[in-house]
Amino acid sequence: MKGKRKIISIDESLCNGCGACVAGCHEGALRLIDGKARIVSELYCDGLGACIGECPAGAITIEEREAMPYDERAVMARIVPQGEETVKAHLEHLQKHGETAYVRQALDYLKESGIMMNFLPSGPEDRETSSGMEKPLPCGCPGSMSRSFVAPAKVSGTTHGEVQLPSQLSQWPVQLHLLNPQAGHFQGADVVLAADCTAYAYGDFHRRFLRNRTLAIACPKLDCNKESYVAKLVGMIDSAGINTLTVVIMEVPCCGGLVRIARMAAEQASRKVPLKKVVVGVQGEIVEETWLS
């Protein structure tokens, strides 16, 4: 199903190759190639335009158009004419963000199109340095690199005689400002949008809310640019086709803002998604659990 989606557009005739937009792109969707800024992965372009303010030449704008959910083959068809270096940068970007399924789709496209390219997919072990630490991304802060976990982290042993429970978190990052709605882990997912404090108040948060779900966290009282939160959620509903959206909040009045943000997104989205509200008391008990739509 189609839905409105905002994507940046670069006028190469105006781009002076300064690279300022690359540093300003938190999602890592831009690279400087052959002296021009290029989008190497629309998958990680949230369309909010943080890079626009970094461009001294006015070469970047945002275009809004009807778009299907992310299609790797369509992206490849568009970037292949830009040359081998752009295609390689795109593949490396997907690989470093753990999007192995999209890498396979891209390589299949090249094979079917009869395009020969010297690129070998690699696993996490190929990205490690001699110190055992993963190499930092060339496109931004490594701490905000989008990644999916195949299975919950395994924790063995005990601490002070207590069993350590494994995490049920399935992806990183989790803060809503840093999330990209087009990431693979949002496709058809059951999403939990949780107020920051809920995980500290509710003792069984991981088992109850995170198992087999994808997480986003936010604070409706302290966070800024809440309009971007609405846009992110609309992208998850329309482009990623999420299955359900559960909003977990505290019983304090300010937390109700997170439900309003979710409602606004549900109203603006072109497709319908079941919306659930869960309210956690300040002493950690569930005080309300209601389906809103």
Side-chain angles (χ1 to χ4, degrees), residues 101 117 120 130 162 169 191 221 269:
M117 188 170 295
L120 296 176
S130 58
E162 297 180 357
L169 188 65
V191 175
K221 182 177 178 67

Side-chain angles (χ1 to χ4, degrees), residues 16-232:
N16 61 14
C18 70
C21 60
V22 177
C25 178
H26 300 295
E27 289 73 29
L30 299 176
R31 290 279 293 275
L32 198 62
I33 298 173
D34 297 331
K36 297 290 182 179
R38 299 186 189 275
I39 302 176
V40 295
S41 181
E42 283 191 356
L43 176 64
Y44 292 96
C45 175
D46 60 15
L48 298 177
C51 53
I52 293 179
E54 305 291 340
C55 181
I60 305 176
T61 57
I62 293 178
E63 62 178 19
E64 184 172 359
R65 57 181 172 83
E66 292 286 334
M68 297 294 291
Y70 181 78
D71 186 338
E72 175 61 30
R73 299 178 70 85
V75 171
M76 287 296 293
R78 191 183 63 260
I79 67 172
V80 161
Q82 296 180 24
E84 182 172 332
E85 291 306 309
T86 300
V87 174
K88 283 185 177 179
H90 171 69
L91 294 175
E92 290 169 358
H93 184 80
L94 291 177
Q95 180 172 282
K96 288 171 181 175
H97 283 82
E99 298 292 346
T100 54
Y102 289 136
V103 172
R104 288 194 294 269
Q105 291 175 26
L107 294 177
D108 287 342
Y109 176 90
L110 293 174
K111 182 178 180 180
E112 293 166 8
S113 301
I115 300 173
M116 303 298 293
M117 188 170 295
N118 184 25
F119 180 86
L120 296 176
S122 59
E125 66 280 359
D126 298 305
R127 302 200 303 272
E128 293 181 353
T129 65
S130 58
S131 65
M133 297 295 291
E134 189 173 286
K135 296 178 183 178
L137 292 177
C139 53
C141 171
S144 62
M145 181 182 72
S146 179
R147 65 193 81 179
S148 299
F149 310 140
V150 176
K154 295 181 179 179
V155 180
S156 59
T158 61
T159 300
H160 303 300
E162 297 180 357
V163 176
Q164 297 183 54
L165 299 177
S167 170
Q168 297 296 326
L169 188 65
S170 63
Q171 103 285 347
W172 184 264
V174 296
Q175 214 290 329
L176 189 50
H177 274 310
L178 299 176
L179 295 177
N180 182 3
Q182 310 305 319
H185 42 253
F186 284 110
Q187 302 297 318
D190 292 305
V191 175
V192 171
L193 174 60
D196 293 351
C197 298
T198 56
Y200 297 97
Y202 189 68
D204 201 19
F205 188 87
H206 275 244
R207 186 193 64 82
R208 175 72 181 273
F209 296 116
L210 292 193
R211 182 178 294 176
N212 300 320
R213 293 181 175 91
T214 303
L215 176 67
I217 65 171
C219 176
K221 182 177 178 67
L222 301 178
D223 292 353
C224 59
N225 194 13
K226 298 181 182 62
E227 293 80 7
S228 70
Y229 281 171
V230 175
K232 295 259 188 178

